[in-house]
Amino acid sequence: MKLNVQVKLAKKTYHPGEPVPVGGKDGLSDDDVSRLTESFGLYVGDAVIGTPAETSDADIADRDRRIAVLEAEKAEALEGLRTARDETEALKGQLAEAEADTGVLAARVKELEAAAQ
């Protein structure tokens, strides 16, 4: 039986696609076979983990185009974040000035109230 997963039995390791013994002293039990095929499936040929997929020039060009789009979106998002950061810093400066002005005005109101009494 060929499974789509690496199996270790006793001291031997069977890679995906290699025949794995079933039953007997050193083979998989029926329960193990059913559990492994349910979880990982039977070996179907070239769908072995680690085998590089065939790529065509069109696939590579499409991948490169998608990467370029994502990089442009990333650059745009970063610029938006920089702008928002700069605006936030400017607003913090305005807030500090307003708080200072409020302190000055509060002190002046107290002086005028004291003078009015």
Side-chain angles (χ1 to χ4, degrees), residues 22-45:
V22 177
K25 180 180 173 190
D26 293 328
L28 290 173
S29 70
D30 290 337
D31 290 338
D32 289 336
V33 170
S34 110
R35 184 175 43 82
L36 289 171
T37 54
E38 207 173 285
S39 297
F40 302 101
L42 294 173
Y43 180 74
V44 290

Side-chain angles (χ1 to χ4, degrees), residues 64-81:
D64 290 345
R65 182 192 57 75
R66 287 183 287 150
I67 289 172
V69 167
L70 290 172
E71 286 175 342
E73 289 174 359
K74 176 185 168 188
E76 185 178 327
L78 284 173
E79 186 56 36
L81 288 172

Side-chain angles (χ1 to χ4, degrees), residues 11-23:
K11 295 180 181 178
K12 183 157 169 85
T13 299
Y14 300 91
H15 297 284
E18 292 182 5
V20 178
V22 177

Side-chain angles (χ1 to χ4, degrees), residues 106-117:
R108 181 69 178 139
V109 166
K110 284 183 183 178
E111 287 175 12
L112 292 173
E113 287 175 343
Q117 291 178 358

